[in-house]
Amino acid sequence: LTAPMTPSTSLQPETPATTTPAASTRPTPRRTRAAAVVAALLLATPLLAACTSPPAGSASTRDVAWVATDASVTLPGSNITPVDVTTRKIGSKVPVGILPSAFAYTPNDRGLLVVTQGNDALSEIDPSTHDVVHSTTVGVEPNAVAVAPGGTGKHGIAFVTNLDSNSVTPVDLGTWRAGKSIAVGDEPMAVAVSVGPSGATAFVADFGANQVTPINVSTLQAGAPIPVGPGPQTLAETAN
């Protein structure tokens, strides 16, 4: 996002749940893709530098595509793989957790965020060393992540959708503390952050509720849901 950072938002730590909610009986993409192999690419341009082959670390965040493979219930993966986009060479796998499912960069591309459904976590990888430097527990079966301005030291706030918790977990990327979960509609599948003159809003696509829920980034409060078509699964925001 190119808009100025908004003031930091203080998050209250949340005690991780000790029980797992029962699975939804409604057929959803997470169940139907059980036999599939999911490949997720996070690729940004322009390229700034090229890696050696195979790369022990990336020369910059802009020269590597990160790939999550074998991300299915029947064949759970626990690694992500860097690919040099110039030489097309594959680097060493990076273990992050079970069923990595989505990526997002932190502000100024300082870190790569990865959500892992199998162990209900959000982790950060250092793009220069490929080390996992932070990790925290979020809700049940996290499915997507987007980063909003704010947080301690203006490091940003990650919004993680929790498919089986019907909630969004905000994580202060300055302290790596997960805040109190924010209730949204059934089966939140995707999240995108929009920044405007009046502040930032996280929009959440609630697959099971046929709606989009806006969340005020400054107050961490959900607004009135917006009815859309059946089964919304993805979102995109316009750069300001």
Side-chain angles (χ1 to χ4, degrees):
L1 300 176
T2 58
M5 292 291 190
T6 57
S8 301
T9 302
S10 177
L11 304 180
Q12 296 299 318
E14 179 186 28
T15 302
T18 57
T19 59
T20 301
S24 171
T25 57
R26 176 191 175 106
T28 65
R30 70 179 184 278
R31 304 305 178 203
T32 58
R33 71 186 177 191
V37 174
V38 178
L41 294 178
L42 183 67
L43 173 60
T45 57
L47 306 180
L48 300 183
C51 298
T52 58
S53 175
S58 56
S60 80
T61 59
R62 300 289 181 174
D63 59 1
V64 169
W66 288 94
V67 184
T69 56
D70 292 344
S72 67
V73 176
T74 56
L75 188 63
S78 60
N79 303 300
I80 61 175
T81 303
V83 179
D84 187 312
V85 297
T86 301
T87 65
R88 310 299 170 90
K89 299 295 184 180
I90 298 173
S92 300
K93 293 181 179 180
V94 179
V96 290
I98 304 170
L99 291 175
S101 60
F103 299 136
Y105 274 119
T106 63
N108 300 319
D109 299 340
R110 286 187 297 259
L112 175 69
L113 301 180
V114 186
V115 293
T116 46
Q117 293 182 341
N119 58 317
D120 302 331
L122 173 71
S123 299
E124 179 184 358
I125 293 174
D126 185 329
S128 64
T129 64
H130 295 183
D131 293 331
V132 178
V133 293
H134 295 106
S135 187
T136 190
T137 300
V138 290
V140 180
E141 200 170 343
N143 196 60
V145 58
V147 178
T152 301
K154 296 185 178 180
H155 288 290
I157 301 173
F159 286 83
V160 181
T161 62
N162 305 307
L163 197 63
D164 274 359
S165 294
N166 300 330
S167 66
V168 171
T169 299
V171 178
D172 187 326
L173 298 178
T175 62
W176 268 85
R177 292 183 177 179
K180 182 178 179 181
S181 63
I182 303 166
V184 292
D186 291 347
E187 298 173 338
M189 283 286 295
V191 58
V193 174
S194 177
V195 180
S198 60
T201 303
F203 291 95
V204 181
D206 302 320
F207 178 85
N210 305 330
Q211 66 186 30
V212 170
T213 300
I215 297 175
N216 185 304
V217 170
S218 296
T219 64
L220 300 180
Q221 298 294 315
I226 305 166
V228 293
Q233 298 187 55
T234 190
L235 291 165
E237 78 281 3
T238 301
N240 293 301

